[in-house]
Amino acid sequence: MQYNWDWGILFRDPYIWWLVDGLKWTLMIAMCAWVLAFVLGSALGIMRTSINPYLRLIGTTYVEIFRNIPLLVQLFLWYFVFPELLPEEAGRWVKREMPLPGFTTTVWALGLYTASRVCEQVRSGIDAIGIGQRNAGRAIGLSEAKVYIHVLLPNAYRIIIAPLTSEFLTIFKNSSLALTIGVIELTSMTRQIEEYTFQGFEAFTAATIIYSLVTFTVMGFMLHLEKRLHVPGRIVVEK
Amino acid sequence: MGDFDFAIIYNNIPFLFEGMKTTLLLTVAAVIGGIVIGTVLAIIRIANVPILAWIAAAYVNFFRSLPLILVIFWLYFLVPLVLGRPVGAFSSVLIAFVLFEAAYYSEIIRAGIASVSSGQVAAARAIGMTYTQCMRFIVLPQAFKAMIPVLLTQAIILFQDTSLVYVVGLKDFLVSAELIANRDQKLIEMFMFVAVVYFTICFAGSLLSSHLQRKLST
C-alpha cells in the first residue's frame, strides 16, 4: 500500500474550517428535519390509533407510501419533479428564488420520510399503554383530544425515548444524502478535502470520528434522560 | 400531466432491466454476506468469548453510528488502495454493504437467538451436545425461523439502500433511469416510474413480511 500520510492536513487552514462548516450544515439539516418529522409523525401516530377509521386509513396510507420508496428517490422527486408539477409561478419560485434550495428540499424530504417512521414509534407507544387508560380517561369525562394530550401522549413519549433517539440518529446519518443535490454537508466536505488534497484516508477518518462522537454523545445523553423519565412500574427491557 | 410520455419508459425497458439486475444482484449478495457475518458476530457476542465479544460489540456500534454513504466512499477509496490496483465500483460497493449490513443483521440475529429459551440450551447440553452442535441443531434453526419476517424487512430496507450507489455512479436501477432522464429531458416520467417500481416491490415485500409474521405467531 503506497500512501503519503499527512494527518496535519486536518488541522490546517482552510480544511479544518471546511469540516466545521460541514458539521454545521449536517446538524442544521438533522435538527430542522427532526422538528418536522416529530410534529408530523406524532400527528400521524395519533391518526393511526384514532377511533375514526378514515383517520386511520390516512395514517396507514401515508406510512406505506413514504417507507416503501427509497429516501434518495424521494429526495429526487421533491427536487426535480415536484417544482414541475406546481402551477407555473410557484414552480419558478421553488426552482429559482427559494432561498437555500438544496437545504430546504433536504429538510422537507427527510422530515416527511422520517415522519412515517416516527408515526410507527408513536403508534407502538400508544398501543403499549393499553386500552384501559384510554377508557378510564373517557370515563372521567375527558374528550378524545384531552385523553391524547393528558393521558396517552405523555406516557407514550416516555416509553419510546429509545426508539425515538435512534430515529433522530437515523436523520442525522441520512442528512448525508443532501450531498446528492449539492448541499456541502459533512460527508460532502470530506469528499471535497480528498479531491483537493488526495488525503482521503485522513479526511474520511475525520468524518468517521465526528459522526461517531455525535452519535455516542446523543446516545449517552438520551440514556440518562430515559432513566430519569422512566415510567414507574414498567419493566425495562435491557438492550 | 396530460403530456406524460409513457413511450420513454416502454422504449427503454431493456436498459432499465439491466439496471434492476444490478440492484437485485447487489441486494441478494449483500443480504447473504450480511447474514453470514452478522450471525458470526451475534454468536461471538452471545457466547461471550473474551475480548472477541468486546470487538464484535464495538464493530456493531461503530458501523451503526456511520452514514451508509460515508462507508461507501470509504471502501470506494480504500479497496483499490489496499489491493494496489483499480477494482470495479461493484466490488467495493458490495464490500461496503456487507460490512455495513452485518452490523444491523447481527442485532436482529442476536435478538432471535435470545428468543430461544435457555431451557432448550440446557437440555441440549444435558444430553451431551457440544456448544457448536447445540447452536447448529437446536438454537439457530428455531431462531432463524422466528426471525424470517424481520430479516425480510431488513432485506427490503437494504434493497432501498442500494439506491445510494448513485454516489459512486454504479449503474443500478436508479442511475440507469437517471441517465435516460437527463439524456432525453424526461425527469418527471423517469423518476415517477422509478418511485412506482420501488414502491410496488417494497410494498409487496412488506405485505409478505407481515403475512409471515401472523403465520408464525399462530
Side-chain angles (χ1 to χ4, degrees):
Chain A
M1 188 165 128
Q2 287 248 320
Y3 193 78
N4 298 314
W5 300 96
D6 182 10
W7 290 98
I9 193 92
L10 297 175
F11 303 99
R12 228 169 278 151
D13 195 52
Y15 305 116
I16 182 157
W17 301 113
W18 288 11
L19 288 172
V20 171
D21 203 45
L23 178 63
K24 184 191 85 185
W25 282 108
T26 290
L27 290 176
M28 269 172 46
I29 292 169
M31 283 190 273
C32 294
W34 177 249
V35 173
L36 176 59
F38 184 75
V39 173
L40 182 63
S42 298
L44 287 162
I46 293 169
M47 287 166 89
R48 285 206 77 178
T49 54
S50 135
I51 42 172
N52 182 326
Y54 297 107
L55 288 181
R56 283 207 303 272
L57 182 68
I58 295 173
T60 311
T61 311
Y62 183 96
V63 170
E64 291 300 347
I65 290 175
F66 279 84
R67 77 170 175 196
N68 281 319
I69 298 174
L71 178 57
L72 185 59
V73 176
Q74 293 189 28
L75 189 62
F76 286 173
L77 284 177
W78 289 119
Y79 197 67
F80 297 114
V81 177
F82 178 65
E84 307 292 335
L85 303 178
L86 288 172
E88 210 170 316
E89 276 298 303
R92 198 165 35 233
W93 184 81
V94 169
K95 272 192 287 188
R96 305 261 162 77
E97 286 154 43
M98 188 170 74
L100 303 172
F103 172 79
T104 313
T105 310
T106 308
V107 167
W108 177 249
L110 198 52
L112 294 188
Y113 168 79
T114 312
S116 71
R117 302 169 56 117
V118 171
C119 161
E120 289 302 274
Q121 304 298 354
V122 171
R123 180 174 76 118
S124 76
I126 292 174
D127 284 347
I129 299 167
I131 194 88
Q133 295 212 20
R134 183 194 285 258
N135 289 342
R138 294 310 302 269
I140 60 168
L142 296 178
S143 67
E144 191 67 23
K146 289 237 162 86
V147 169
Y148 272 100
I149 293 169
H150 297 296
V151 181
L152 296 177
L153 286 178
N155 274 311
Y157 285 136
R158 285 165 73 181
I159 298 172
I160 58 171
I161 289 177
L164 282 186
T165 307
S166 57
E167 290 307 338
F168 173 75
L169 292 172
T170 307
I171 276 204
F172 170 65
K173 289 179 278 176
N174 276 340
S175 65
S176 56
L177 268 71
L179 70 88
T180 61
I181 55 171
V183 181
I184 315 284
E185 44 64 72
L186 184 54
T187 306
S188 176
M189 260 324 175
T190 55
R191 196 85 209 282
Q192 200 171 307
I193 295 177
E194 186 219 340
E195 278 162 5
Y196 272 68
T197 65
F198 300 105
Q199 304 298 135
F201 209 99
E202 292 85 342
F204 290 136
T205 303
T208 304
I209 292 172
I210 295 172
Y211 275 111
S212 307
L213 274 182
V214 174
T215 299
F216 295 135
T217 311
V218 172
M219 263 167 43
F221 176 73
M222 294 310 285
L223 220 59
H224 173 71
L225 195 70
E226 195 183 11
K227 278 197 194 113
R228 285 198 48 179
L229 294 180
H230 169 65
V231 181
R234 289 193 71 88
I235 299 162
V236 190
V237 182
E238 207 186 326
K239 270 192 86 175
Chain B
M1 285 301 287
D3 43 35
F4 193 93
D5 184 4
F6 284 102
I8 187 78
I9 296 166
Y10 183 78
N11 291 337
N12 288 296
I13 291 277
F15 185 71
L16 291 167
F17 188 70
E18 281 304 308
M20 184 48 98
K21 278 207 308 217
T22 303
T23 294
L24 289 175
L25 186 65
L26 184 59
T27 306
V28 171
V31 166
I32 294 172
I35 289 182
V36 170
I37 300 183
T39 309
V40 174
L41 289 170
I43 290 178
I44 290 174
R45 287 184 74 180
I46 291 213
N48 227 339
V49 187
I51 304 170
L52 280 183
W54 186 85
I55 294 174
Y59 177 94
V60 170
N61 289 326
F62 175 69
F63 272 95
R64 296 209 317 165
S65 75
L66 298 182
L68 178 52
I69 291 190
L70 183 62
V71 179
I72 293 175
F73 280 148
W74 251 125
L75 272 297
Y76 190 68
F77 160 79
L78 209 55
V79 173
L81 200 64
V82 170
L83 293 181
R85 62 183 168 84
V87 287
F90 188 86
S91 326
S92 70
V93 159
L94 177 60
I95 297 172
F97 271 93
V98 168
L99 292 178
F100 185 81
E101 291 296 327
Y104 288 82
Y105 272 115
S106 121
E107 289 295 277
I108 295 172
I109 293 161
R110 202 156 67 99
I113 293 176
S115 75
V116 178
S117 84
S118 58
Q120 298 210 23
V121 179
R125 299 304 293 272
I127 61 169
M129 280 187 171
T130 62
Y131 184 81
T132 321
Q133 284 175 325
C134 166
M135 272 289 165
R136 162 80 183 75
F137 296 107
I138 310 292
V139 177
L140 286 181
Q142 296 185 70
F144 271 105
K145 194 179 164 222
M147 280 184 288
I148 288 171
V150 194
L151 291 176
L152 182 59
T153 306
Q154 185 63 30
I156 297 167
I157 295 172
L158 174 53
F159 174 65
Q160 295 189 13
D161 281 348
T162 57
S163 59
L164 296 185
V165 301
Y166 174 88
V167 298
V168 292
L170 179 64
K171 238 162 75 184
D172 75 328
F173 183 53
L174 176 60
V175 171
S176 306
E178 203 231 3
L179 286 173
I180 298 169
N182 283 327
R183 189 193 62 197
D184 298 344
Q185 288 303 309
K186 297 285 181 193
L187 269 72
I188 300 181
E189 284 84 350
M190 290 320 293
F191 283 136
M192 285 216 174
F193 175 69
V194 167
V196 169
V197 171
Y198 271 114
F199 175 80
T200 312
I201 296 173
C202 298
F203 186 57
S206 69
L207 287 182
L208 178 65
S209 168
S210 47
H211 171 75
L212 290 171
Q213 188 106 53
R214 272 195 303 276
K215 223 172 125 187
L216 284 171
S217 64
T218 48

